[in-house]
Amino acid sequence: MALVLTNTLGGRKEPFESLVPGEVRMYHCGPTVKEHLNVAKFRSYLLADLLRRCFEYAGCRVVQVMNITDVGQLNEFEEDIVEIAASRTGLSAVELVEKEERIFHADRRALHIRDATHYPRAREHVAEMIAVIADLEKRGRTYEAAGNIYFDIRKSPRFGELAGKPAEDLERLLAGKKQPPGKRHLLDIDLWRRDVLHQTHWPSPWGRGFPGWHVECVAMSRKYLEGSFDIHTGTCENVFPHHECEIAQSEALTGKPLARYWLHTGPVLVDGLPMTRDNRNVMTARQMLDAGFRGSVIRAALLSVHHREVLDFGEAAMDRARPRVNTILAFHEHLKEATTGAPRPELRRKGSPAPWIEETETRFRAALDDDLDYPRALEAVLGAIGKLEPEDIGDPRQALEALERWDRVLGILA
RNA sequence: GGCGGCAUAGCCAAGUGGUAAGGCAACGGUUUGCAAAACCGUCAUCCCCGGUUCAAAUCCGGGUGCCGCCUCCA
C-alpha cells in the first residue's frame, strides 16, 4: 500500500505511515445528538468509513473511535444547546439524546457506514474529563476565574498551526466578542464551567458544573487511543476552534503530537448555496431517507467528489448518483444469476482473472492510494463495466468476487 | 482583513507533460401507422496574460471570477 494523504496540518500530501505497523488507530469527531444530523456531518462520517474500508482492504487492523456528544454545551447566550433542542420537542435532555443517538445509528447503517470500534458517550466520561483538567492544572496550564477553570493558551506557542493562522490573527478576529468575566485571554479554553442552573451537572474538585467544549474529545481519545494516534478526522468547520483546542490540551498533557494526520471534509452546498440555517436549506440524512432516497444513493452522492472539495449537494447530485449505484447493482445481479445453479464444467477450473479485472484493480488501487480518491475509484469500476462485452467477462465467479471485493471499499452493495 | 479551495462545451464531468473520456441536453439521420424507445452521426483552440519545455488543460509566476473557514455546529 502506497497511500498518500493530504494532511490539513501542513496542507500537503504526505505518504501515510502508521505508528504501529499493520494497525491504524483513528479518532473521528462524531455527532452531537440533539437533532437529526445534516448531510455535511454524514460526509465526514463517510470519510471515516472510507478510511477504515481502505485500510481493511489493504489488510490492516483498524481501531476507530467516534465520540457521541450528549452533554449540554452553552451557546453565546449561556443557554444549554441540548436543553433548547429538548424544550422544542417536549422531551427531557436525556430522552432527546437517547432518541437522537438511536436515529444516528440507524441512519449511518442505512448509508452503509460500518460500526466503529468504540462510540464513547461524553456523558459517561465526565470522570475522565475531570482527570484531564486536574492533570492540566497540576502542570500549571490552567487558571480559575469567577469559579470557572480555563486553559491558558499563551503557554501553547503552536496554537493556530492546524488552521494555518497565527494566534495573533485569531485574537484580532475575536477582539469584538463578549468574554466571560475574569477570562484572561480571548483564546483561552473553557475547561470546567461551574453551573447548577442547567439540567445536567456533575460534582468536581471545582464545584458542581460541566466540562468545557473541547475537553471531551481530549479525554476520550486519551482513554481509547492513549493520547497519540494515526488519524483524526472531522468536517472543515471543526478545524478551528475545536481541533486546535484539542491539540493544545492534549499536547500540554503528553508533550507528543495528538495525531499524525488530520483529515477534513470540504464544505457542503445545497444547489449552489451554503447549507446553513439562515439559508433554510439544511438537509438531514433522515429527511432524505424519509423522502424515499436509498441510503446507497445518498452515500454515493456524498462521496461523488473528493472529500476535500466543495460538494454541491441536492436533487441534482442525487440524480447523478442514482444511475451509478444502479449500474453496480444491476451488474451484481447479473453476475449472481450467472453463477447460480450447477457450475458449468468449462468454468470449474480457475484460470487467471480476465484482463479487465486486473486492469480495473490497478486503477482502483491507484485512485484510492492517491489521497483516497473515491470518485476516481468508482469511475474505474463503472468505466470497466460500461465497456465490457459479454464475452470479455470471463469466469463470472471471478467477476463476482472482484466486484464484491471492490465494494468492500465502495460500500454500495453493503 | 487573514487563510484556504476551485475554474474543461448549454449542464454534470474525466483528465496528474505527448495531438480533449463519458453522461445529460440540443441538432441531423435510420427505424416506426403516430409517438416513444433504440441505433448512427454532429457539437471544446480546457477563465485571462506571461514563463519553462521539442511538446502544457496538466508545471511555474501574475491577474480575474466564484466558493469556503475565521467561537451556535465537536
Side-chain angles (χ1 to χ4, degrees):
Chain A
M1 180 179 216
L3 175 64
V4 170
L5 296 174
T6 301
N7 193 350
T8 305
L9 189 60
R12 295 171 203 286
K13 284 188 182 179
E14 297 175 28
F16 177 76
E17 216 175 295
S18 58
L19 291 167
V20 179
E23 180 177 307
V24 179
R25 297 177 313 134
M26 305 190 276
Y27 187 92
H28 312 295
C29 270
T32 296
V33 284
K34 67 182 171 77
E35 61 195 358
H36 300 347
L37 282 312
N38 67 49
V39 291
K41 303 267 173 46
F42 273 99
R43 191 184 186 198
S44 80
Y45 311 150
L46 283 165
L47 168 63
D49 188 58
L50 174 60
L51 279 162
R52 179 251 183 81
R53 286 168 175 266
C54 284
F55 286 125
E56 286 184 345
Y57 192 81
C60 292
R61 217 169 76 80
V62 174
V63 178
Q64 285 187 294
V65 179
M66 179 177 280
N67 63 292
I68 304 289
T69 297
D70 55 1
V71 173
Q73 309 291 359
L74 300 189
N75 66 14
E76 59 183 308
F77 307 111
E78 303 282 308
E79 298 162 324
D80 183 308
I81 58 173
V82 173
E83 286 175 20
I84 290 175
S87 69
R88 283 198 290 257
T89 62
L91 299 173
S92 72
V94 173
E95 288 166 339
L96 176 69
V97 296
E98 285 176 351
K99 177 182 159 214
E100 291 297 334
E101 185 183 335
R102 282 195 300 275
I103 293 172
F104 158 66
H105 285 299
D107 291 353
R108 78 166 171 79
R109 288 194 186 103
L111 303 206
H112 297 171
I113 295 173
R114 294 187 177 169
D115 295 357
T117 320
H118 304 285
Y119 287 103
R121 296 187 183 97
R123 187 180 292 273
E124 293 165 3
H125 292 78
V126 174
E128 284 84 349
M129 298 179 211
I130 290 172
V132 164
I133 300 167
D135 201 345
L136 289 170
E137 191 173 48
K138 206 168 60 192
R139 289 166 193 271
R141 305 298 289 263
T142 69
Y143 63 90
E144 183 178 339
N148 301 322
I149 307 297
Y150 295 97
F151 181 84
D152 186 351
I153 208 68
R154 270 167 298 188
K155 292 177 180 162
S156 300
R158 288 170 57 198
F159 192 85
E161 198 172 299
L162 184 71
K165 307 173 207 295
E168 307 82 68
D169 274 17
L170 298 170
E171 284 169 44
R172 186 155 36 80
L173 288 160
L174 301 176
K177 302 278 177 179
K178 201 177 76 180
Q179 279 194 80
K183 187 171 166 181
R184 293 180 194 160
H185 192 282
L186 283 167
L187 296 172
D188 287 346
I189 306 165
D190 270 36
L191 290 175
W192 189 263
R193 172 71 71 122
R194 188 186 292 170
D195 182 309
V196 292
L197 299 176
H198 295 93
Q199 288 177 24
T200 45
H201 45 79
W202 291 263
S204 84
W206 315 281
R208 286 196 77 88
F210 54 85
W213 282 16
H214 311 291
V215 72
E216 160 196 332
C217 288
V218 174
M220 296 197 290
S221 69
R222 179 158 96 152
K223 176 169 181 180
Y224 294 94
L225 298 167
E226 292 134 34
S228 203
F229 48 94
D230 296 300
I231 303 178
H232 194 131
T233 69
T235 68
C236 55
E237 298 182 350
N238 294 147
V239 173
F240 180 84
H242 183 50
H243 289 164
E244 207 70 74
C245 292
E246 253 185 274
I247 290 173
Q249 293 176 37
S250 292
E251 299 189 0
L253 234 34
T254 64
K256 289 188 296 186
L258 177 59
R260 171 89 193 276
Y261 302 87
W262 290 81
L263 269 57
H264 296 97
T265 48
V268 176
L269 313 180
V270 173
D271 298 323
L273 280 174
M275 187 175 74
T276 63
R277 201 175 294 169
D278 287 347
N279 284 337
R280 294 168 180 274
N281 61 356
V282 175
M283 298 177 84
T284 66
R286 178 91 306 217
Q287 269 170 4
M288 309 287 295
L289 291 165
D290 286 345
F293 292 104
R294 283 168 288 158
S296 53
V297 175
I298 301 170
R299 177 188 178 92
L302 287 172
L303 287 165
S304 63
V305 300
H306 185 268
H307 65 266
R308 290 186 66 87
E309 285 193 33
V310 176
L311 169 67
D312 194 354
F313 195 73
E315 294 271 336
M318 299 295 288
D319 288 343
R320 266 174 266 134
R322 191 180 298 105
R324 288 154 186 262
V325 168
N326 288 341
T327 300
I328 299 281
L329 294 177
F331 191 56
H332 187 243
E333 277 309 306
H334 170 78
L335 292 175
K336 277 206 307 200
E337 275 167 32
T339 51
T340 48
R344 286 181 283 162
E346 71 271 20
L347 298 177
R348 186 162 294 160
R349 203 157 30 108
K350 274 203 172 183
S352 53
W356 74 273
I357 293 180
E358 293 191 344
E359 283 161 23
T360 305
E361 179 78 35
T362 302
R363 295 183 56 201
F364 184 76
R365 282 176 184 258
L368 294 171
D369 278 349
D370 184 6
D371 206 18
L372 304 169
D373 198 334
Y374 183 99
R376 219 169 95 202
L378 177 58
E379 212 52 50
V381 175
L382 289 172
I385 294 173
K387 276 183 239 151
L388 214 49
E389 299 293 340
E391 62 270 24
D392 296 331
I393 292 177
D395 182 343
R397 286 171 305 177
Q398 288 186 339
L400 182 63
E401 195 182 280
L403 183 66
E404 290 182 347
R405 177 159 32 87
W406 296 325
D407 192 68
R408 291 212 296 269
V409 174
L410 298 175
I412 288 169
L413 302 170

